[in-house]
């Protein structure tokens, strides 16, 4: 049974110099080990805060260092993206508009293969819209038994699965661990995709989590002691039978 460790950074504040300073160190440590992560980028915050160009340059730098760039989108209404004014709108119109907006921004850097939804929301309009935009995989699902957050638009799966939309296929890969679970608890364990002989662990954290010293140290330990980290795109390829790069 092959084991596979993938690392995802939900990247929302890369334009913040404090966040970038610590994220750059984590990414640099990965590169020195010959490892890679996937940055799921939510660009709209940088746009709203007038720092789009700065975010663009830093994402390009991470990509040049070998890390995968994917998309992360929150479905807030209008430009109110912070508490207490933010309102999540999961209507089909807003979901499609937000996806296209962030995809257009990221397409100046690359055409992202992967996606993760903000708040783990999987509304009915999400997967057909991702397929239409050409996405190959999604990491918005969580494992069965994960109960830290519960809302009617969450998707829980026991293992990865493939869904077909028109002529496109979308591979759905559950995100298995946050930093705390990955290091201290290992509650959910690896997920098995038995038909490929593969067990995997997909660990995520937010870039702004690194502003907390305990999270920064946890990420540092994870990078150095958590195995050979690969991107979520590489995990998707392995699950689809493409093997290891």
């Amino acid at each position: 049974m092959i084991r596979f460790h993938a690392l995802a950074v939900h990247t929302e504040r890369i334009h913040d110099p404090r966040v970038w300073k610590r994220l750059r160190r984590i990414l640099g440590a990965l590169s020195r080990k010959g490892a890679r992560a996937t940055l799921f980028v939510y660009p709209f915050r940088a746009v709203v805060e007038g720092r789009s160009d700065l975010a663009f340059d830093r994402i390009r730098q991470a990509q040049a260092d070998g890390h995968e760039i994917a998309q992360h989108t929150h479905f807030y209404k209008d430009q109110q993206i912070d508490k207490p004014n933010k309102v999540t709108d999961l209507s089909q119109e807003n979901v499609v508009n937000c996806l296209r907006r962030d995809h257009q921004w990221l397409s100046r850097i690359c055409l992202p293969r992967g996606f993760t939804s903000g708040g783990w929301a999987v509304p009915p309009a999400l997967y057909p819209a991702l397929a239409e935009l050409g996405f190959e995989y999604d990491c918005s699902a969580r494992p069965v038994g994960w109960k830290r957050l519960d809302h009617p638009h969450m998707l829980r799966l026991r293992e990865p699965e493939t869904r077909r939309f028109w002529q496109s296929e979308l591979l759905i890969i559950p995100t298995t661990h946050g930093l705390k679970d990955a290091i201290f608890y290992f509650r959910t364990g690896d997920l098995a995709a038995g038909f490929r002989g593969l067990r995997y662990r997909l660990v995520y954290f937010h870039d702004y989590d690194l502003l907390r010293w305990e999270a920064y140290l946890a990420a540092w330990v994870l990078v150095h002691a958590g195995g050979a980290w690969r991107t979520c795109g590489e995990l998707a390829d392995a699950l689809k039978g493409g093997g290891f790069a």
Side-chain angles (χ1 to χ4, degrees):
M1 183 72 72
I2 301 172
R3 297 189 67 189
F4 196 111
H5 290 185
L7 186 61
V9 184
H10 293 191
T11 307
E12 302 191 19
R13 297 180 182 271
I14 198 170
H15 54 284
D16 183 321
R18 301 170 302 160
V19 172
W20 174 237
K21 181 178 180 180
R22 294 193 175 183
L23 177 60
R24 184 171 53 182
R25 289 175 177 171
I26 296 297
L27 296 179
L30 284 167
S31 295
R32 288 190 293 275
K33 288 173 58 68
R36 297 176 291 273
T38 296
L39 274 61
F40 286 95
V41 178
Y42 176 51
F44 191 56
R45 179 174 294 279
V47 173
V48 171
E49 296 180 5
R51 297 182 178 181
S52 179
D53 290 344
L54 188 59
F56 183 89
D57 290 341
R58 290 173 177 174
I59 294 165
R60 284 290 299 270
Q61 183 175 337
Q63 182 192 41
D65 290 338
H67 303 288
E68 180 188 19
I69 306 302
Q71 183 171 327
H72 181 49
T73 294
H74 288 274
F75 303 110
Y76 299 135
K77 187 176 182 179
D78 302 322
Q79 294 192 8
Q80 302 297 328
I81 60 176
D82 288 307
K83 296 179 180 179
N85 298 317
K86 68 179 182 181
V87 175
T88 298
D89 178 1
L90 298 179
S91 66
Q92 179 174 345
E93 179 181 10
N94 192 61
V95 167
V96 171
N97 287 342
C98 290
L99 286 173
R100 289 177 175 172
R101 175 200 67 205
D102 293 347
H103 187 266
Q104 183 178 17
W105 193 97
L106 285 169
S107 66
R108 296 184 299 154
I109 299 173
C110 66
L111 291 177
R113 298 176 59 202
F115 179 82
T116 298
S117 182
W120 311 110
V122 183
L126 178 62
Y127 288 155
L130 291 180
E132 184 178 356
L133 287 169
F135 284 91
E136 299 177 23
Y137 71 88
D138 170 74
C139 301
S140 304
R142 299 308 307 268
V144 172
W146 186 80
K147 299 179 179 179
R148 292 194 177 185
L149 181 67
D150 191 21
H151 59 69
H153 293 286
M154 288 195 70
L155 175 64
R156 293 184 175 86
L157 298 176
R158 296 190 181 278
E159 66 176 22
E161 66 178 47
T162 299
R163 297 189 183 183
R164 177 173 287 277
F165 300 90
W166 305 290
Q167 300 300 315
S168 301
E169 287 187 347
L170 185 69
L171 177 62
I172 303 170
I173 310 172
T175 296
T176 62
H177 293 74
L179 274 177
K180 189 175 182 180
D181 288 332
I183 291 182
F184 296 110
Y185 294 108
F186 297 94
R187 288 176 182 169
T188 55
D190 297 337
L191 286 192
F195 61 97
R196 295 296 184 195
L198 175 70
R199 299 184 68 88
Y200 80 90
R201 178 163 296 185
L202 199 174
V203 181
Y204 88 98
F205 60 89
H206 291 91
D207 59 352
Y208 56 79
D209 290 339
L210 299 176
L211 294 179
R212 306 195 317 271
W213 273 105
E214 64 272 21
Y216 179 62
L217 290 175
W220 192 260
V221 170
L222 200 68
V223 165
H224 287 86
W229 294 104
R230 296 176 182 265
T231 68
C232 297
E234 291 176 287
L235 173 58
D237 290 339
L239 287 166
K240 289 187 288 188
F244 295 93

